Amino acid sequence: MVKLNKILTKGKALFLAYDQGLEHGPTDFNDKNVNPEYIIEIAKKGKFNAVIFQKGIAEKYKKEIKSSRVPLIVKLNGKTNLVKGEPISRQICSVKEAVKLGAVAVGYTIYLGSQHESIMFDEFADLQRQAHSNDIPVVAWIYTRGKSIRGKSSKELMAYCARAGLEIGADIIKIKYNGKPKDLAWAVESAGKTKVVIAGGIKKNQKQLLNQINEIIKSGAIGLAIGRNIWQSKNPLETTKKIKKIIWKKK
Ligand code: FBP
């Protein structure tokens, strides 16, 4: 089994996600957080387990990432939100390129339920093989999307994402929390030995966010891969500190 020690602390994880510039456009950003150097600073000072970038940022800010010593996860696929219809996100960076950029793990998004899911499964199979043969862990973002999921329960879909992650060979899966601790506990159980981290979602007030993280950790997820709720926060380091207290149960 691939070792996860480079991106986990005592089996738990807090990753800083910053691929929203491609996924959503700069609409998520302000004058501060539009600059990748601001994100690297937060990741460094907040001692995140890893920072997640697309290849372009990993390449252009290689020096800053390296000197921050924050482990790097490179996202291998991506898409914009401009194209409508059944979602597909194709591979735009190879494992080899990611490793050359200093990645200690790679990430890939699969839209479960999309008419195009088989294409993403196929790409994932290849990169998972390559990554594992180089001892590189694979983080799979698994989100249910498309017409086929209409009418299905969020419990069923969340657990399906988790199980699919185990079946396709992801080491860690990143899924969205439906807000129900029992449902998440079932999803975590369904993921077996594959670890589960949760996405942050749109910016919430801090109390709401911390309550939710409490539930998430109690339900068995190992942590978060969170973006907007950190770097859109007025005080990212203070928010990070509070989140870490919950994940690592520090007094
Ligand atoms: P956030 O914590 O900001 O929600 O980031 C998590 C994430 O998975 C990002 O990695 C990604 O860019 C974004 O959410 C995609 O979300 P969606 O597909 O729902 O727009």
Side-chain angles (χ1 to χ4, degrees), residues 34-205:
V34 71
N35 184 350
E37 289 181 42
Y38 179 67
I39 307 303
I40 298 166
E41 246 344 85
I42 297 172
K44 180 186 169 185
K45 291 192 178 142
K47 296 199 175 73
F48 277 77
N49 288 102
V51 64
I52 302 161
F53 291 135
Q54 283 285 354
K55 135 186 182 175
I57 293 185
E59 207 164 52
K60 298 281 186 297
Y61 296 84
K62 196 174 176 189
K63 202 179 73 200
E64 290 84 351
I65 298 167
K66 201 173 169 209
S67 72
S68 77
R69 305 174 74 95
V70 179
L72 171 69
I73 299 176
V74 171
K75 219 23 229 308
L76 300 185
N77 66 338
K79 65 159 190 53
T80 70
N81 65 6
L82 300 171
V83 182
K84 301 299 169 204
E86 292 288 304
I88 176 159
S89 183
R90 297 293 299 250
Q91 190 168 354
I92 51 180
C93 177
S94 69
V95 173
K96 210 171 162 187
E97 285 173 296
V99 170
K100 222 173 145 199
L101 290 167
V104 297
V106 291
Y108 186 92
T109 301
I110 292 171
Y111 297 114
L112 208 70
S114 162
Q115 268 171 29
H116 309 299
E117 75 170 21
S118 64
I119 297 172
M120 291 171 274
F121 277 154
D122 204 38
E123 287 188 350
F124 184 87
D126 274 349
L127 68 90
Q128 191 266 11
R129 194 175 308 120
Q130 282 163 31
H132 281 189
S133 62
N134 288 290
D135 250 331
I136 300 279
V138 180
V139 184
W141 279 229
I142 307 190
Y143 297 156
T144 47
R145 296 277 157 92
K147 282 196 228 86
S148 68
I149 65 163
R150 273 185 209 149
K152 303 238 168 17
S153 83
S154 64
K155 176 183 180 182
E156 187 189 338
L157 291 173
M158 196 164 61
Y160 209 160
C161 288
R163 187 67 184 197
L166 170 66
E167 306 272 355
I168 63 176
D171 303 296
I172 299 176
I173 52 155
K174 171 172 175 176
I175 58 174
K176 298 203 185 203
Y177 176 46
N178 74 348
K180 296 178 185 155
K182 277 195 183 146
D183 294 359
L184 179 57
W186 172 237
V188 170
E189 215 181 314
S190 304
K193 286 191 180 181
T194 293
K195 315 276 182 217
V196 176
V197 297
I198 303 294
I202 54 165
K203 175 91 168 50
K204 302 173 220 357
N205 76 46

Side-chain angles (χ1 to χ4, degrees), residues 17 19-20 23-24 141 143 145 174 176 199-201 226-228:
D19 59 338
Q20 293 80 352
E23 300 294 326
H24 305 149
W141 279 229
Y143 297 156
R145 296 277 157 92
K174 171 172 175 176
K176 298 203 185 203
I226 186 170
R228 287 165 287 181

Side-chain angles (χ1 to χ4, degrees), residues 21-33:
L22 180 61
E23 300 294 326
H24 305 149
T27 169
D28 284 349
F29 302 147
N30 60 25
D31 284 340
K32 263 189 182 170
N33 58 33

